[in-house]
Every structure is written in structure tokens, then in C-alpha cells.
Amino acid sequence: MSLTSRVAGLFTTTPPSDTSATPSGDSSASKWAHAGLNEIGHAQDSAMALVEEEEPRPPYLHAMLAGGTGGTCGDMLMHSLDTVKTRQQGDPTFPPKYTSMGQSYATIYRQEGFCRGLYGGVTPALLGSFPGTVIFFGVYEYTKRLMIDSGINPSLAYLSGGFLADLAASIVYVPSEVLKTRLQLQGRFNNPHFNSGYNYRNMRDGFRSIVRQEGFSALFHGYKATIFRDLPFSALQFAFYEKEQSMAKEWVGKRDIGLGLEILTAATAGGMAGVITCPMDVVKTRIQTQKNVPESPSGSGKKHHVEHIPKESPRPHAPASSHSHTSRAHSRPISTSGASTSIPPPGTPRLDTSSVFTGLKMIYRTEGLAGWFRGVGPRGVWTSIQSGTMLVMYQYLLKQLEHHQILEERGH
């Protein structure tokens, strides 16, 4: 058997034929070629394993501080775009006042300004963002490591880690999300440009008004819808991110993939997850921005529905009185039809706040697929930039904390 035949045989699964009669020269060459190919294969396997084996596991405190800081910076940076998305999704008027992303941004800025308009609701957003992301990253790192160490597939570990982490953090961020979303939809106090159904002076006034008029449980309105949106979003975001990071490190051949790839992997992961979960975000926004006044003092067990403004209510764009939200039991109309006004035709179904899937079905029946993806443009951009900011800062801060820890250990 020739040397060429023996080398070719190394790439097949067929065992080699009897080599007892092979000349010693050919045998030595075959062994040399076989050893050389084994070395190459071993080097390639080592290079691929190096990326995973060298991946550090930062202390939980480092992960929580870096994640909380990165997440809060991302949320604050993109708050104005989140306001635009909320206006597009929660606009009860027809035709909608807020249409394209650029037009909505310019309209809100021109009519209501930067702080009270585009950055309305920023205080509850800040108060909920940092503790929420601290809890999230702590639970995510713990769950991910536990599952990987138990022999579970890494992709499933990332998916489950994001899912469980968001579930744990939801206790903190859902009440802040309710306040934030209502203040974003309201805009400035005594807003003459847009009647959202709210007129809170500030976050404290909004909190007191919600608890007094609707009960403390109203701060958790849309909890189920928020869970249905954020759990799959976080699971998909981190599954995409970890997978893209792994591919980038394998491509580059080292842990440090560079700032460009860091931004690309983080932004695309958040953007894809945001677009996929947009229908749940629409339902969440509409449920959280409705105003549910108890039907009777003793009827606490009854379900609350989206009510529509009666015919004698003020015109949709009339200036709101400073006492309008305390003087009348008012339910903000939720737009469930692209062709109807605030007064629905007889027999029109109402959005039941206890059923997310009912909301999805109603919106699709009355507005079509476009209703599910209201605000998908600003949501896609927002989640891309927010995720990019959060995850890039997360990785950067982890490296800084690791470097600081090494210096401290050397100093001692």
C-alpha cells in the first residue's frame, strides 16, 4: 500500500487492511503522517476549547454591580425613544396622532419639551431599573452556572437563566413600569396637546392617585402581560447574545473580540428579541395604561374591563383640568380598533385585563397584524441600543472590576 493511500485512509471510517506485509519504510511514514494529523486536530480542538475553558466566572457581586450599572445607563439613554413607542402603542385616538418614529419624536419634543415630554416618567424608570437589573444579573449568573455545571446544554442554560432571572426581577420593576408608562403616555402636566386620561403632577402624585382610586393592586396591572413579554424577551436576548459571543470568540480565536463585535453581538441580540416580542409589548402597554376603577366597594373579586368614555365626556383633545383625575371615575379608552372612535359600537368586546391572549386576539381581529406590531420601529431600535449599551458596559465593567481585584490581591 502506498503512502498516499495510507494518508487518504486516515480520513475514512473504514479500518485499514492488514499491514503485516507492509515494508518498514512505508509503515514509518504512515505513523509519522498519522501523528502529524493528530497533532493538527488536537491543536484545533485545543484552540476551540480554549475560548470556553478560559471564560472567567466573575464574582456574583461584580456581575450584579456591572449589570445594574449597564442596564440603568441603557434605560436612561433610550428613555425618550421608549416614550415614543409608548405613545404609538397606547394612543386611543383615530386616526392615530403618533405615526412614524421621527414624526412622533418631533411632535412630542415640539409640543411638550424634553424633560416633561420625551423624558416623562424617567424617575420611576430610574428607581426600578437599577434594583431590577441587579437582581436579574445575580439570578442569571447563578442559574446559568448551576445548569451548565449539571451537564445541561449551554444554550438551554442561557435561555432558562434569562427566563428565571426576569421572573425574579419582575417583583421590583413591574410597579415602576406602571408608573413610568402612565407618565410617559400623559406627558406634561395639564397637557393641552394630548388627552391620555391621566393628569398626575409627578410620580408621587401618580402613586397616591393610583392607590387611592384603584387600589394598591393597580400598581401590578399588566403583571401577567409584562411577564409574557419580558420573560421570552430576556430568554431570547441572552440566548442570542451568548451564542453570538461564542461564535465571535471562535472566529477571532480569543476572549477579547474587540469593541466592534461586542456592540454588534449585543445590539443584534436585543433587536431580534425586541421585534419578536413586540405583540406582547403592545398588550402590556394597553393594559398598564388603562384606568380601572372598582365597580362597587364590595366587588373586589370582579374582573375589571376596559371602559370607554361616555358620550358626555370632554372632547379627546380638550385641555385637562388639574382635578380631572380626582373628580370623576374615568376609564381611559384603549384603542382596539383602527377604524373606531372612543365610543364603540354596541356589542363590541372589551379587553379583559386578566387574559393576555384575549387581548392579542382582539387586537388582531380589529387591527390586523399591524396592531400587534404597533411601535415595532422604535421598539426594535430601543432594544438594540439599550441592549448594546447594557451588555457592552457589563463586559467593560466586569473587566475593570477583575483588573482592580487582581491589583488588590498583588498589593496584599
Side-chain angles (χ1 to χ4, degrees):
M1 183 181 290
S2 66
L3 176 60
T4 305
S5 300
R6 287 183 176 277
V7 173
L10 295 173
F11 296 92
T12 66
T13 57
T14 306
S17 58
D18 183 20
T19 59
S20 58
T22 305
S24 60
D26 283 353
S27 177
S28 300
S30 174
K31 289 178 181 179
W32 177 85
H34 185 67
L37 289 171
N38 277 344
E39 281 294 325
I40 294 172
H42 180 69
Q44 289 175 341
D45 291 341
S46 299
M48 293 177 65
L50 188 64
V51 173
E52 296 181 1
E53 289 177 1
E54 286 190 351
E55 189 65 33
R57 288 190 171 185
Y60 288 114
L61 182 60
H62 286 187
M64 293 165 74
L65 288 175
T69 304
T72 303
C73 290
D75 287 341
M76 295 302 99
L77 177 66
M78 299 310 299
H79 186 83
S80 60
L81 196 57
D82 186 52
T83 299
V84 170
K85 180 216 68 170
T86 301
R87 292 286 181 97
Q88 289 186 358
Q89 292 179 344
D91 186 354
T93 61
F94 184 82
K97 178 177 181 179
Y98 304 104
T99 53
S100 68
M101 183 169 62
Q103 176 268 338
S104 302
Y105 205 102
T107 299
I108 296 170
Y109 177 74
R110 184 178 66 254
Q111 295 180 344
E112 303 168 49
F114 187 77
C115 295
R116 296 294 184 179
L118 291 171
Y119 266 75
V122 69
T123 304
L126 177 62
L127 294 178
S129 180
F130 185 76
T133 46
V134 164
I135 294 171
F136 179 92
F137 276 92
V139 175
Y140 175 73
E141 285 293 331
Y142 176 80
T143 306
K144 177 183 74 171
R145 296 176 191 183
L146 182 65
M147 295 182 74
I148 290 176
D149 291 344
S150 300
I152 296 174
N153 181 275
S155 295
L156 182 60
Y158 303 145
L159 199 70
S160 302
F163 192 91
L164 293 174
D166 206 276
L167 182 63
S170 64
I171 304 296
V172 173
Y173 71 72
V174 169
S176 70
E177 183 83 1
V178 171
L179 281 166
K180 179 205 76 156
T181 306
R182 291 191 178 194
L183 288 168
Q184 282 178 315
L185 192 67
Q186 166 193 306
R188 55 183 285 190
F189 181 60
N190 284 342
N191 193 348
H193 304 287
F194 181 65
N195 181 23
S196 65
Y198 305 108
N199 198 31
Y200 306 132
R201 294 179 180 276
N202 47 41
M203 184 191 72
R204 182 181 298 180
D205 180 49
F207 177 82
R208 289 175 177 173
S209 299
I210 291 171
V211 173
R212 182 174 63 251
Q213 296 180 12
E214 306 171 60
F216 186 80
S217 63
L219 291 171
F220 289 87
H221 279 165
Y223 184 84
K224 190 186 299 183
T226 305
I227 290 298
F228 272 92
R229 178 199 69 170
D230 286 349
L231 264 61
F233 171 78
S234 295
L236 290 170
Q237 177 189 26
F238 277 84
F240 289 152
Y241 177 67
E242 297 278 10
K243 186 64 177 176
E244 290 179 29
Q245 282 271 308
S246 176
M247 292 169 63
K249 289 172 184 177
E250 184 178 333
W251 183 55
V252 174
K254 56 182 180 178
R255 261 185 60 197
D256 189 2
I257 61 176
L259 182 60
L261 281 176
E262 288 281 3
I263 295 173
L264 181 64
T265 54
T268 53
M272 288 189 296
V275 170
I276 292 170
T277 56
C278 187
M280 306 310 301
D281 188 48
V282 174
V283 174
K284 189 267 327 175
T285 299
R286 296 189 184 187
I287 289 176
Q288 286 187 330
T289 54
Q290 70 189 8
K291 198 169 184 179
N292 296 283
V293 181
E295 297 175 4
S296 62
S298 60
S300 57
K302 296 182 180 180
K303 293 178 179 178
H304 301 307
H305 301 278
V306 174
E307 304 291 343
H308 294 269
I309 296 180
K311 293 183 178 180
E312 64 271 18
S313 296
R315 296 174 61 88
H317 295 289
S321 169
S322 62
H323 304 288
S324 61
H325 65 288
T326 57
S327 61
R328 56 191 174 99
H330 171 165
S331 293
R332 194 186 75 79
I334 301 298
S335 172
T336 56
S337 173
S340 66
T341 60
S342 297
I343 303 173
T348 298
R350 296 182 296 180
L351 180 59
D352 187 344
T353 63
S354 68
S355 175
V356 174
F357 293 105
T358 298
L360 283 172
K361 185 168 62 177
M362 286 180 56
I363 293 170
Y364 180 75
R365 185 190 310 154
T366 54
E367 299 179 53
L369 196 62
W372 281 2
F373 288 91
R374 265 202 191 191
V376 68
R379 176 166 172 78
V381 174
W382 179 83
T383 52
S384 293
I385 301 178
Q386 191 273 346
S387 295
T389 304
M390 177 183 73
L391 294 172
V392 170
M393 284 198 66
Y394 173 70
Q395 295 292 346
Y396 172 77
L397 291 173
L398 279 183
K399 291 174 184 177
Q400 294 301 312
L401 289 169
E402 180 185 8
H403 180 66
H404 182 69
Q405 185 180 25
I406 292 172
L407 291 179
E408 281 190 342
E409 290 174 354
R410 288 178 179 174
H412 292 304

